[in-house]
Amino acid sequence: MIRAEIWLQDTLGTASGLEELAHRMGYSPSQIRRRFRDVFGLSPGVYRDQLRLAKAARLLVQTPLSVKTISSTCGYRNHSAFTRAFQKYHGKTPRRYRQQRQLDLCIQQQGQASFAYHIDELPPNHAVLTRLYNTPLALDDSREWQQYLKAVPSEIQALDKTVPIAILQDETLGNELPRFDIGVQIDPASAQDLALPPTFRLIQLPRQRHAHLHLNTACQLSEAMRFMSYRSLSGEGEALSGEPPHIIPRAEGWKLRIPLR
């Protein structure tokens, strides 16, 4: 059912239904519903709604996109339905949520240290990833990181120019399973005809501009994201895209890579 959860996340902005998911996984829709509920404690439809609303909240906080654009981006074709669903889940209308979070960010930034960063456009790339749960703080332990990377197939680890990478996903949802994807970044040529175990997937990393920040510890992640989100919303800095950030281990500390619009 982890494959089902990832599929739901990767198709948030599409009209793909449960029947297509069942067909892809070789189950009947009723089997998908039952097994998914056993693992995550809620139905696939409710889970996707929570993913969409969590993404909408992230876009409201990190980007200057209009509420109407965010509604469409998150798979809602009816703006009023989006507003009702968002208010029911988050307790505020989208506009009020953005205003409150912008005020919170402004208050939090007072007296807080700033982060130096530089901007660079990265070429298209690929990453081979597996999903982990309930382990976000373990990124600060290099031994734990290496333990996770041992799961990456040896033939992939042996490729040239592989770079360890973690992609941090949405905040905790109703299933109480904080998630991040961990694996290695590989060049497009190496991505051809790869045979992956069922727990891994290959994703494309498009050509995109990023803000690059150095972190002494992974525990600085939240502070750094607040700093960059505030600069994005206030217009003082680059506008973020709202896509999940990447963490890459360095000889000393970590590189935080935040996608920009």
Side-chain angles (χ1 to χ4, degrees), residues 56-113:
R58 188 173 70 244
L59 293 174
L60 287 166
V61 173
Q62 295 183 7
T63 78
L65 294 173
S66 70
V67 174
K68 183 177 180 180
T69 299
I70 291 173
S71 169
S72 176
T73 300
C74 294
Y76 288 88
R77 300 295 175 257
N78 184 298
H79 178 64
S80 297
F82 167 68
T83 298
R84 289 194 300 271
F86 190 94
Q87 183 166 13
K88 181 178 179 180
Y89 187 68
H90 290 287
K92 297 181 178 68
T93 65
R95 296 186 190 281
R96 179 58 181 160
Y97 183 91
R98 168 175 273 171
Q99 292 169 352
Q100 184 63 57
R101 290 295 291 123
Q102 188 168 12
L103 178 60
D104 291 344
L105 286 170
C106 182
I107 293 173
Q108 290 167 353
Q109 279 307 118
Q110 294 179 5
Q112 295 296 315

Side-chain angles (χ1 to χ4, degrees), residues 221-243:
L221 171 66
S222 295
E223 186 179 357
M225 287 302 302
R226 286 196 298 268
F227 170 75
M228 294 301 293
S229 296
Y230 171 74
R231 290 182 61 80
S232 175
L233 276 182
S234 66
E236 296 180 10
E238 294 284 334
L240 308 188
S241 71
E243 294 302 313

